[in-house]
Every structure is written in structure tokens, then in C-alpha cells.
Amino acid sequence: DGGITQSPKYLFRKEGQNVTLSCEQNLNHDAMYWYRQDPGQGLRLIYYSQIVNDFQKGDIAEGYSVSREKKESFPLTVTSAQKNPTAFYLCASSMVVNYGYTFGSGTRLTVV
Amino acid sequence: QQQVKQSPQSLIVQKGGISIINCAYENTAFDYFPWYQQFPGKGPALLIAIRPDVSEKKEGRFTISFNKSAKQFSLHIMDSQPGDSATYFCAANNNAGNMLTFGGGTRLMVKP
């Protein structure tokens, strides 16, 4: 079955640590996206990538970094510079010319 | 011009009633309008989508109504069921890229 897989489902981070959230898709989609969702809130775009080895900042990129070395993979690193990282992180993918997004099931990150 | 405004933020409907969620946009270049449904702890899933060449699209109990002149579109859920309780996001896209602009979300609760 084609889909988009995020791991881990739950992640705990100590203050000052960097953590990396995984996102893998086997849909042959060109574009991939990372969103942050806070409780009861909407979706805020962190980073997106439309082709391999290229990515763009979204609305709230500060404290985050990404890479796109393979079409299938778009990992997100939450760095220690992100002062309030506790949130639900969603990865999505799409074809460049097909407007629908497919979302992963999310990673809930908690700072302990 | 990239905003999509969604209302209401929350909605309570009795079982069997009609749930109506509204969205408005400014950018006339938008040409694709999807709705996503998100259950707690899960990623959003595409529910139904419409393009501006039609004024209405129906899939089962879910209907999108689209008013191009008013730059508004709405989701109607007929015979609402407790299982429809979720957060709903409207979105819009244009053919200049594949970036979706999301509304702020509506938390729907259907009471038994």
C-alpha cells in the first residue's frame, strides 16, 4: 500500500537537545511538506521541498532544519534553538501537478 | 491575499442535523478547494474537493457549495453523526505552484 510514514509516533526531548523526525513516502510524490500543529490550532508550514536537494522555508522555519537527499525522504530536525518545540508535527506529500496532499499520521514531540 | 478565513472555530450539532462550515478567500487565482478531516491524534485526510467550474459537489453526506462571485465555499454535512466529530480544514491552491493555504480549522462535535 502506498502511503506516507512518520516516525516515531511519540518523541520526548530534553532541553538543549536536537531531535530528528522521520518522514518517508512511497507515493512517488515530488513535493513534501512539514507542518506544526499546536493544541486546538491550525496548520503552520515549517518547510517544504518540491524537488530533491532543494527546500524552502515556510512561515515558522526558525529553530528547524530539513534535508531532501532522496525523493522519498524529508526528515525534520528540531534544534535547540526552537524554544517551544512541544507540538504535533505533520508531514505531507503531493505531486507537483496534482493538488491533493497526503498527510502522515504525525509525531507528537514533548520537551521534558 | 493568500489567506483563507474559516468559520466558525467550533460547532456543536445534534445527531441527524446539518453541519455547515464556511470559508472565504481573496486570491482569485485559487482554483482548487479541498476539505480535510482530522481526528484527534491523526493526520488530516482529504474529504472532498471542488474546482471553480462547478457550484456544487456531493459525495455521500458531504457537499461542497462554491460561490465564485462571493469568493466563498462551504462544507455541508447532512444527517451529522457522532462519528463525524473531528476538526475540519478548508484549503485553497492555485496553479502557480502546489502550495495549499489552509483555513484555521473548525472543531465539530456531534451530540448523540
Side-chain angles (χ1 to χ4, degrees):
Chain A
D1 284 340
I4 183 165
T5 302
Q6 289 188 243
S7 63
K9 190 171 178 63
Y10 300 97
L11 186 58
F12 298 90
R13 189 193 95 167
K14 292 183 179 178
E15 298 262 1
Q17 271 186 339
N18 292 354
V19 290
T20 297
L21 284 59
S22 171
C23 180
E24 303 275 336
Q25 55 99 357
N26 60 4
L27 299 165
N28 199 32
H29 283 174
D30 300 303
M32 298 186 74
Y33 314 84
W34 275 105
Y35 286 88
R36 170 177 172 146
Q37 187 175 33
D38 292 285
Q41 302 297 312
L43 304 170
R44 292 190 290 169
L45 181 65
I46 305 172
Y47 268 98
Y48 66 99
S49 167
Q50 297 196 319
I51 57 172
V52 174
N53 292 322
D54 187 56
F55 47 83
Q56 307 296 328
K57 292 182 179 180
D59 301 319
I60 56 164
E62 185 175 352
Y64 300 97
S65 66
V66 293
S67 63
R68 186 89 186 274
E69 298 176 0
K70 298 186 301 181
K71 186 176 184 178
E72 301 81 16
S73 179
F74 192 41
L76 173 74
T77 297
V78 184
T79 75
S80 57
Q82 171 50 240
K83 297 306 179 189
N84 185 22
T86 295
F88 190 50
Y89 290 87
L90 287 160
C91 181
S93 69
S94 71
M95 292 296 288
V96 175
V97 295
N98 178 348
Y99 300 143
Y101 282 13
T102 300
F103 282 89
S105 55
T107 292
R108 187 167 300 280
L109 173 64
T110 303
V111 174
V112 296
Chain B
Q1 273 223 322
Q2 291 297 318
Q3 274 192 317
V4 176
K5 295 183 180 179
Q6 183 171 347
S7 63
Q9 285 187 313
S10 62
L11 180 62
I12 300 174
V13 173
Q14 290 295 130
K15 179 182 175 181
I18 302 174
S19 303
I20 301 174
I21 304 170
N22 300 299
C23 284
Y25 64 96
E26 291 294 327
N27 189 344
T28 55
F30 287 150
D31 67 353
Y32 175 71
F33 303 90
W35 285 89
Y36 287 82
Q37 179 188 55
Q38 183 183 28
F39 293 107
K42 305 292 184 184
L46 179 64
L47 186 63
I48 186 172
I50 196 168
R51 295 193 187 273
D53 52 342
V54 295
S55 60
E56 185 175 281
K57 183 174 181 179
K58 183 176 180 179
E59 290 184 2
R61 296 184 294 109
F62 300 91
T63 299
I64 299 179
S65 296
F66 184 80
N67 186 329
K68 188 174 182 179
S69 60
K71 291 184 284 187
Q72 295 176 347
F73 58 110
S74 59
L75 176 69
H76 296 233
I77 306 174
M78 311 300 287
D79 186 26
S80 298
Q81 299 296 313
D84 297 329
S85 297
T87 298
Y88 293 82
F89 292 97
C90 64
N93 190 8
N94 63 40
N95 59 10
N98 199 33
M99 295 299 300
L100 284 177
T101 299
F102 286 91
T106 296
R107 184 176 291 183
L108 170 66
M109 180 186 296
V110 181
K111 288 192 168 182

